[in-house]
Amino acid sequence: MERFALSHILVPFVGYPSAAITAVNIHPETWNSLMFPYGGLRLDDAKAAAGAATFADLSGVLRGLIDTNAAAYLDGARAELREYFTDLPELESLAPVYRNFSLKFSKSAEKWTAYIFTYHPCPESLLAVPADSRRRIPLDTAAAAEAVSANQLDGIALEENVAALLQSGIVRFWSRG
């Protein structure tokens, strides 16, 4: 394993009484799918995961890469996230609400990439994405289950980062029912 992607995801959130998160169609002309805005750092390091024998070991390597590359990670996140927000919150002050990992093979590069996705809530009011590219997902278990089951919202496919958060316990935690 020599490729790593450290993703800082901002989840646009609207509070009670109508708790919801907003996914955006960031690239409608190419991907045409709903995701959360993200930014971060990509690393090529042939030695970073040399001792990783299990996926749990690899997950630990990814968390460690964030720690050892914190400044570059946050700078990369800021640079990419500025494209989608009118104003960015202080990324260092946002506590993560969820984290997941993925391992994907790139046929074009013929390499595996290990991903870590760290989700942080932020006010939807800061989102600068046009209204027609946004889809609000109510944070109730029925709406989340329906979106995940269909793997889409309003005919637009959900990216893995949206489905992962909707399937996590955070929806039940924020949910009204």
Side-chain angles (χ1 to χ4, degrees):
M1 177 65 45
E2 60 187 69
R3 294 178 67 187
F4 305 92
L6 316 175
S7 296
H8 192 289
I9 297 172
L10 290 184
V11 180
F13 180 76
V14 178
Y16 291 103
S18 59
I21 54 177
T22 300
V24 296
N25 195 354
I26 294 173
H27 305 288
E29 65 287 343
T30 54
W31 294 349
N32 196 33
S33 59
L34 296 169
M35 63 184 66
F36 298 122
Y38 67 93
L41 182 63
R42 284 102 187 122
L43 298 169
D44 288 313
D45 184 340
K47 297 178 185 167
T54 66
F55 195 69
D57 294 341
L58 187 55
S59 299
V61 168
L62 287 161
R63 287 190 303 272
L65 286 171
I66 287 176
D67 292 342
T68 59
N69 296 281
Y73 168 64
L74 291 171
D75 287 346
R78 280 186 202 95
E80 293 176 84
L81 288 166
R82 279 190 186 104
E83 186 176 339
Y84 309 107
F85 290 90
T86 56
D87 191 24
L88 280 179
E90 289 295 324
L91 299 183
E92 303 87 347
S93 67
L94 298 175
V97 294
Y98 182 64
R99 180 174 278 160
N100 69 323
F101 305 87
S102 181
L103 188 59
K104 296 181 182 182
F105 185 74
S106 169
K107 290 180 184 176
S108 60
E110 295 187 358
K111 291 183 181 181
W112 287 92
T113 302
Y115 294 82
I116 182 171
F117 302 100
T118 307
Y119 302 75
H120 307 265
C122 74
E124 182 192 56
S125 61
L126 299 177
L127 198 56
V129 174
D132 63 346
S133 293
R134 301 177 186 197
R135 297 297 183 275
R136 191 175 277 179
I137 306 167
L139 284 180
D140 64 66
T141 52
E146 183 179 332
V148 169
S149 175
N151 197 37
Q152 65 171 326
L153 189 62
D154 297 336
I156 303 172
L158 300 179
E159 282 294 327
E160 289 180 37
N161 70 8
V162 176
L165 185 68
L166 291 175
Q167 291 173 317
S168 75
I170 201 73
V171 170
R172 285 186 300 281
F173 177 75
W174 279 337
S175 176
R176 295 175 313 205

